[in-house]
Amino acid sequence: MSSERVRNPKGQGAQLREELLDAADALLVETGDEAAVSLRAVARAAGVSPPAVYLHFDGKEELVGAVVARRFRQLEAHIRAATAGIDNPGRSFRAGIDAYCDWAEAEPGGYRLLFSVPVGNDDHQAGAAAFATLVDGLAALHVADPPRVAALVWAGLHGLLTLRQARPAFPWRPLAEQVDDLLARLVPEQA
Amino acid sequence: MSSERVRNPKGQGAQLREELLDAADALLVETGDEAAVSLRAVARAAGVSPPAVYLHFDGKEELVGAVVARRFRQLEAHIRAATAGIDNPGRSFRAGIDAYCDWAEAEPGGYRLLFSVPVGNDDHQAGAAAFATLVDGLAALHVADPPRVAALVWAGLHGLLTLRQARPAFPWRPLAEQVDDLLARLVPEQA
DNA sequence: ACCTGAACACCGTTCAAGT
DNA sequence: ACCTGAACACCGTTCAAGT
């Protein structure tokens, strides 16, 4: 049960860092809750002793923060990939919205995690970049005051996604229908 | 440091139950996070030993659940009190919305708690009752398909309130202004 | 009927030590 | 340079026992 893992050679400490991030990511996404994942469990999954985590992270909080930052970058890349090459502004805008929702629904725990943890500077950068894609999409539709409307759209989507997760017993309509309803009212220009 | 508390007489076990609920509520509202509050800390605050909690609750989860149920009933009462006696449907509707937002902003941890924990049946009842006040308000405004619009309004408000808490560094406009914007678009009938 | 003490298997973190 | 073992103060929960 102990020491399956082979020791890293001299210059390769960075490899353990990646293994720890992968292990922590997998455990965090399962639950979407920082508190449900223990630093000791992450160390176990990576095949090292608990103190080894401190060689690469200041503590549990910094480890979780690094996972969150990586997930934010993935989300932004996912949205950019979905909208890339779509010329029609309305269709591009909607493709970005759908990518955001798909990503949240595909890994609910991973989405919840993004907003359940105090953000560091890295996350703030990545989050701001994702928000910027939304503002750009609205500007292309000639919406008045795009940042102002973008905040409402973001809040509406986030509210729908998180409430649907938190209250699965509520008689929700299909998500696509709710998103249609929401956008029809918040962004009439996109029709 | 030990035994400040006087033992309860024979038929008064229910009193400890209330003391535990009050202690747990205070600790939970401070953090808004179930995981940040320990059963042992609750027992300490109430002046009893940890196993004493099990005399009244099945475990930590049930204790937290009872606190959440109580908070839901308080929220619904707060909304009903704010709308009671207002005849004008538009003003009554808006008073309910404002009461919801005020309650969430007055105790952010208490609001977060309501949706950060899996719900039991009690919470579901209380939550449904609060939602019903929203549906009724929209019906009085002769909105088409009130439950459908109510879901969007609820999601929009919830998204605004939680994102503002989770991302305090974001350049938010004042909440009242965002709520005005949101309602103007989602419920044009209220103007 | 109401509550405690001691125990168990966990947890995050620190620090000295091993290779 | 990279990692471990042992320790510390915590945690939720159980079970026998005290008043």
Side-chain angles (χ1 to χ4, degrees):
Chain A
M1 59 228 319
S2 60
S3 65
E4 299 287 5
R5 201 185 119 89
V6 289
R7 192 189 190 80
N8 271 332
K10 293 266 168 134
Q12 306 296 335
Q15 189 183 320
L16 173 56
R17 192 188 147 92
E18 287 307 306
E19 290 171 24
L20 288 169
L21 277 177
D22 291 341
D25 186 82
L27 290 170
L28 284 165
V29 166
E30 272 174 38
T31 62
D33 182 12
E34 175 184 8
V37 173
S38 72
L39 184 148
R40 292 177 103 108
V42 172
R44 264 194 307 270
V48 293
S49 68
V53 176
Y54 291 82
L55 298 170
H56 296 284
F57 303 96
D58 274 348
K60 185 183 178 181
E61 202 171 332
E62 224 228 338
L63 171 59
V64 173
V67 170
V68 169
R70 214 169 58 160
R71 291 232 145 228
F72 258 122
R73 287 192 293 271
Q74 285 167 3
L75 172 57
E76 196 221 337
H78 183 66
I79 295 172
R80 290 212 178 275
T83 59
I86 301 183
D87 285 334
N88 180 288
R91 293 168 69 89
S92 171
F93 172 74
R94 185 55 195 259
I97 299 284
D98 290 340
Y100 185 85
C101 293
D102 290 348
W103 197 84
E105 289 221 302
E107 284 181 337
Y111 180 74
R112 222 161 42 230
L113 185 67
L114 294 187
F115 301 100
S116 73
V117 118
V119 290
N121 263 334
D122 283 8
D123 311 324
H124 199 270
Q125 297 299 324
F131 186 76
T133 65
L134 181 55
V135 176
D136 291 347
L138 289 169
L141 288 168
H142 305 104
V143 169
D145 207 341
R148 188 166 175 167
V149 177
L152 297 184
V153 171
W154 184 30
L157 292 177
H158 181 73
L160 284 175
L161 293 166
T162 53
L163 282 178
R164 291 174 69 99
Q165 282 187 33
R167 292 292 179 271
F170 186 88
W172 297 107
R173 287 168 182 274
L175 177 61
E177 197 182 299
Q178 290 195 293
V179 173
D180 282 344
D181 281 359
L182 185 74
L183 294 180
R185 288 168 167 85
L186 292 184
V187 194
E189 295 87 344
Q190 54 119 38
Chain B
M1 58 229 319
S2 58
S3 62
E4 300 287 6
R5 199 186 120 87
V6 288
R7 191 187 192 79
N8 271 333
K10 292 265 167 136
Q12 306 297 335
Q15 190 183 320
L16 174 55
R17 191 189 148 91
E18 286 309 306
E19 291 171 24
L20 288 169
L21 277 177
D22 291 341
D25 186 81
L27 290 170
L28 284 165
V29 166
E30 272 174 37
T31 63
D33 181 11
E34 176 186 7
V37 174
S38 72
L39 184 149
R40 293 177 102 108
V42 172
R44 264 194 306 271
V48 293
S49 69
V53 176
Y54 291 83
L55 297 172
H56 295 285
F57 303 96
D58 273 349
K60 184 183 178 182
E61 203 171 331
E62 224 228 338
L63 171 60
V64 173
V67 171
V68 169
R70 214 168 59 160
R71 291 233 145 229
F72 258 122
R73 288 191 293 270
Q74 285 168 2
L75 172 56
E76 196 222 338
H78 183 66
I79 295 172
R80 290 210 178 273
T83 59
I86 302 183
D87 284 335
N88 180 288
R91 293 168 69 89
S92 171
F93 172 75
R94 186 54 195 259
I97 299 285
D98 290 340
Y100 185 86
C101 293
D102 290 348
W103 197 85
E105 289 220 302
E107 286 182 336
Y111 180 74
R112 222 161 43 229
L113 184 67
L114 294 186
F115 301 100
S116 73
V117 118
V119 290
N121 263 335
D122 283 8
D123 312 323
H124 199 270
Q125 298 299 324
F131 186 76
T133 66
L134 181 55
V135 175
D136 291 347
L138 289 169
L141 288 168
H142 305 104
V143 169
D145 207 341
R148 188 167 175 166
V149 177
L152 297 183
V153 171
W154 183 30
L157 292 176
H158 181 73
L160 283 174
L161 293 165
T162 54
L163 282 177
R164 291 174 69 99
Q165 283 187 31
R167 293 292 179 274
F170 186 87
W172 297 108
R173 288 168 181 274
L175 177 61
E177 195 180 302
Q178 290 196 294
V179 173
D180 283 343
D181 282 359
L182 185 74
L183 294 180
R185 287 169 168 84
L186 292 184
V187 194
E189 295 88 344
Q190 55 118 39

